[in-house]
Amino acid sequence: MLQYKSKHGVVRKSPFELYMAFVDMRNFQAMIPQDKRDMVTADYDTIKVSVQGYEVGAKVFSRTPYSRIELVDYGAPFAFKMSFCFDATGAPYETDFSIQVEADLNFMMKMMLGNKIQEALDKIVDGLVSGIKFD
């Protein structure tokens, strides 16, 4: 399994607020540009994205209130596990946010997706730090 870890970013929301935004997979559609939202389908526990002819799905494996949400593959062409981490900073309305991914990619998938996975994780953190809004 390959491991990817996003950078850490301090988000100006409490761990409770940030966790609640991520707890429902339908909220992820709000983080996707409007013109690409039709590529995503979601319900409370699952999300599927169509990318370059591949459908990648994930479902919630576990929720630890206000600190962690773990997803696992669900109809994806490779096995993976993703963790969203919400750590209190000590300030009342700040959260140290990061994402961890473990993926079982074959050589071809690693060459196609390896750098894109890391870039996407860091872009999500950057978006939250800069104040991305949920619809």
Side-chain angles (χ1 to χ4, degrees):
M1 287 271 202
L2 298 169
Q3 294 188 356
Y4 300 91
K5 293 182 179 184
S6 73
K7 59 174 121 179
H8 285 250
V10 175
V11 180
R12 294 185 183 274
K13 297 220 178 268
S14 70
F16 169 80
E17 290 175 291
L18 199 53
Y19 173 88
M20 293 307 291
F22 277 77
V23 76
D24 186 337
M25 296 299 103
R26 293 172 290 200
N27 290 338
F28 282 89
Q29 288 176 311
M31 296 188 335
I32 297 169
Q34 187 70 36
D35 64 327
K36 294 187 170 56
R37 289 186 188 175
D38 62 337
M39 300 168 39
V40 179
T41 57
D43 61 29
Y44 185 75
D45 290 317
T46 64
I47 187 166
K48 288 193 178 193
V49 181
S50 297
V51 180
Q52 297 179 342
Y54 290 100
E55 190 168 273
V56 178
K59 67 179 177 179
V60 174
F61 176 73
S62 70
R63 291 178 175 99
T64 304
Y66 323 126
S67 66
R68 190 176 192 90
I69 297 173
E70 294 182 345
L71 307 175
V72 294
D73 59 280
Y74 182 66
F78 54 90
F80 68 89
K81 179 180 177 182
M82 179 182 294
S83 300
F84 297 103
C85 306
F86 314 95
D87 297 316
T89 64
Y93 294 101
E94 287 186 353
T95 302
D96 179 1
F97 177 76
S98 64
I99 307 168
Q100 300 171 4
V101 174
E102 292 179 11
D104 189 12
L105 302 176
N106 63 32
F107 179 75
M108 180 72 117
M109 295 291 265
K110 180 181 175 187
M111 296 307 292
M112 284 180 14
L113 298 175
N115 290 339
K116 291 181 182 185
I117 292 172
Q118 186 66 53
E119 289 172 17
L121 298 178
D122 289 340
K123 190 178 265 192
I124 292 167
V125 172
D126 288 342
L128 288 170
V129 168
S130 66
I132 192 170
K133 301 281 189 246
F134 292 95
D135 288 347

